[in-house]
Amino acid sequence: MIPSAPTLAALAIGPDEFARRRRQLMQMAGEDAVLLVAAAPERMRNADAAWPYRQDSDFHYLAGFPESDAVLALLPGRRHGEAVLFCREHDPARERWHGQSIGTERAVADYGMDDAFPIEDIDDILPGMIEGRGRVYCHFGREPAFDAQLLGWMRRLRQLRGGGVVPKEFVALGHLLHDLRLYKSRAELKLMRASAAIAVEAHLAAMQVAAPGRHEYEVEAELLRVMRSRGAVPAFPPIVAGGANACVMHYQSNRAALRDGELLLIDAGAELDCYASDISRTFPVGGRYSREQRALYEVVLAAQLAAIDEVRPGRPFGAAHTTAVRVLAEGLCELGLLRGAADAVIADGSYRRYFPARTGHWLGLDVHDVGDYRVGGESRLLEADMVLTVEPGLYVPPDDHSVAERWRGIGIRIEDDVAVTRDGNEVLTAAVPKEAEAIEALLAARVALSRSS
């Protein structure tokens, strides 16, 4: 049994860390800059029903503030405080329907802001704060409503008596901020380990219910039950793909019945306090791999283990993919799914027929987290405290008549979350078995337990 994750209160990142992030970003931007970040807007599902709210990742990274209708302004060198938050003030009429707002006083007292003002007053206050600054860092082009508001502030500055001093440059905020997010602090890594532990528990529980005759959505329900019972939400809509459905890279239907003799691919992760995990496992619904399933599975597993060995300081990010492709190509050639030598199928790209994806991505506040993969035209070198996924796979389309029928419709992916350490790596999700023998033993225990009960 996987031990329960610590409580969210014990894991929460404190105001001091958010303040440190803001100071670091302002130092990078310079004293003549202003940095503006808007909270994510609420989005409507239909009629008057909203989607579950999820804060913008950049806004969360800098403020830790969970509400919409907020704007963070960072003003390096401002005498009366550099970190200013505009947010909802208390409104009894609104709060009767939607719950209590945090308000400006708590934004300062509990969230470490230097100053806070009602969001309704932003048009009157913020332009004066921007005046005289040389550059505006923002996510221009992400939210049209915020873009229009920002242009309105610029017009207001120009209309000031005597003509206000309008910033001359608009700079993409991600250029600075996303490089900071790439390196995880101790507190972030602690949260990500807890998120991974919840995802591990969810995958193990899903394996227990994934039996012939059940449906993909029943397995999805078990994943969601575990995540919500641990205070997490899904980091993305889970993929629960039985049989040939696993050959659809982003399968979402989750409606099909599970059949004996087929594999089930589950790609699911938890999100805890906005930090994500991401795990994929592929196992036989009936409890045992067929000869062809086992052969392809062992190739994918060998590729993943070799790729994880490339995750260490000083190695290029792309080394894991290059290594995985080599192992996958050699395996496909040995099994006869591709003709010729591995060098040839790598050179001509024919391996992509069965592996069209990349081997991994950054992981953090977003499942596909921010951060450049290439620097100066070269694959970025890995450094301690970066976190990424390693997820090679093989997917033989059901209509691929270039191979024998026994291979068709087999889709396999094995994915783990890997943190770069000072001297190697830490696999955060290692507690979900991935060796074929260990998976078959786990499923055999499931069958034995159901018979005894």
Side-chain angles (χ1 to χ4, degrees):
M1 182 67 180
I2 302 300
S4 297
T7 64
L8 184 54
L11 293 164
I13 295 172
D16 288 348
E17 178 159 335
F18 289 110
R20 176 186 59 76
R21 295 170 180 176
R22 294 191 293 267
R23 287 194 301 271
Q24 191 171 1
L25 183 62
M26 286 188 283
Q27 185 176 14
M28 294 168 68
E31 285 210 356
D32 63 338
V34 56
L35 303 100
L36 303 175
V37 191
E42 292 182 332
R43 303 189 189 277
M44 302 310 292
R45 182 178 184 271
N46 59 298
D48 62 348
W51 287 106
Y53 185 70
R54 204 284 189 178
Q55 186 57 276
D56 175 81
S57 294
D58 286 336
F59 187 88
H60 176 82
Y61 182 80
L62 293 170
F65 192 81
E67 294 182 353
S68 62
D69 297 326
V71 173
L72 175 67
L74 299 181
L75 302 147
R78 178 175 178 261
R79 184 180 303 173
H80 301 294
E82 297 177 315
V84 179
L85 186 70
F86 295 86
C87 62
R88 286 194 298 258
E89 195 52 283
H90 293 298
D91 178 355
R94 185 188 186 282
E95 291 173 355
R96 183 175 184 183
W97 290 93
H98 301 288
Q100 190 172 29
S101 297
I102 292 170
T104 55
E105 290 185 8
R106 285 187 57 204
V108 174
D110 297 348
Y111 290 86
M113 299 298 159
D114 297 320
D115 212 346
F117 300 94
I119 189 67
E120 293 83 1
D121 298 336
I122 192 169
D123 290 337
D124 297 325
I125 296 173
L126 188 56
M129 294 179 170
I130 295 174
E131 184 182 8
R133 302 270 169 174
R135 295 183 308 283
V136 176
Y137 287 86
C138 63
H139 291 310
F140 202 75
R142 180 182 291 186
E143 291 290 345
F146 184 70
D147 292 349
Q149 196 171 21
L150 179 58
L151 292 174
W153 297 331
M154 298 303 107
R155 284 194 298 270
R156 179 167 297 199
L157 271 179
R158 292 188 185 97
Q159 293 166 1
L160 289 176
R161 183 177 299 175
V165 180
V166 182
K168 295 179 175 58
E169 291 183 81
F170 287 84
V171 186
L173 178 61
H175 177 69
L176 297 181
L177 177 56
H178 293 170
D179 212 53
L180 290 180
R181 281 179 52 187
L182 188 56
Y183 300 87
K184 307 302 186 287
S185 68
R186 289 184 179 180
E188 288 178 293
L189 288 170
K190 190 175 181 180
L191 259 176
M192 293 187 72
R193 290 187 187 99
S195 174
I198 293 170
V200 164
E201 186 177 350
H203 273 262
L204 292 175
M207 287 181 176
Q208 298 300 311
V209 304
R214 304 195 82 163
H215 290 78
E216 293 166 346
Y217 55 76
E218 295 179 81
V219 179
E220 179 184 13
E222 185 65 7
L223 291 165
L224 299 179
R225 181 195 67 80
V226 173
M227 291 179 194
R228 296 301 292 129
S229 70
R230 299 295 181 264
V233 297
F236 52 92
I239 295 171
V240 183
N245 294 334
C247 297
V248 179
M249 301 299 294
H250 291 161
Y251 177 73
Q252 290 287 295
S253 177
N254 295 357
R255 301 293 297 171
L258 305 181
R259 295 181 174 86
D260 196 8
E262 293 184 338
L263 298 179
L264 178 63
L265 187 158
I266 299 177
D267 186 344
E271 181 178 281
L272 188 66
D273 202 21
C274 292
Y275 283 85
S277 52
D278 189 3
I279 305 173
S280 295
R281 291 294 186 268
T282 310
F283 57 93
V285 174
R288 295 192 67 82
Y289 295 94
S290 71
R291 180 181 299 178
E292 289 74 22
Q293 291 168 351
R294 179 71 171 263
L296 285 176
Y297 188 90
E298 294 293 356
V299 171
V300 176
L301 179 60
Q304 202 227 15
L305 293 174
I308 289 175
D309 284 343
E310 294 290 343
V311 179
R312 59 183 187 272
R315 295 295 294 151
F317 177 90
H321 179 69
T322 301
T323 298
V325 165
R326 166 64 57 178
V327 176
L328 293 173
E330 290 175 349
L332 289 167
C333 292
E334 289 175 8
L335 294 174
L337 277 78
L338 291 176
R339 294 178 177 84
D343 286 340
V345 303
I346 292 172
D348 64 22
S350 57
Y351 74 89
R352 295 192 186 95
R353 184 190 310 172
Y354 304 117
F355 182 44
R358 300 293 294 178
T359 302
H361 51 79
W362 302 126
L363 186 69
L365 281 168
D366 297 321
V367 177
H368 286 253
D369 207 25
V370 296
D372 293 330
Y373 290 99
R374 301 182 68 81
V375 177
E378 300 293 331
S379 183
R380 184 170 203 144
L381 298 184
L382 297 177
E383 299 178 59
D385 302 325
M386 296 177 174
V387 183
L388 59 149
T389 67
V390 179
E391 50 176 311
L394 287 174
Y395 315 91
V396 186
D399 59 352
D400 184 356
H401 295 286
S402 70
V403 299
E405 186 175 358
R406 66 183 184 276
W407 298 107
R408 298 174 199 164
I410 297 177
I412 297 165
R413 179 160 63 251
I414 307 172
E415 176 182 20
D416 283 296
D417 304 344
V418 186
V420 184
T421 62
R422 293 184 182 278
D423 55 1
N425 64 63
E426 175 189 356
V427 181
L428 307 181
T429 50
V432 186
K434 58 185 175 183
E435 290 75 16
E437 294 86 353
I439 289 175
E440 288 183 341
L442 182 66
L443 298 177
R446 171 197 69 183
V447 173
L449 181 62
S450 66
R451 286 174 179 170
S452 65
S453 58

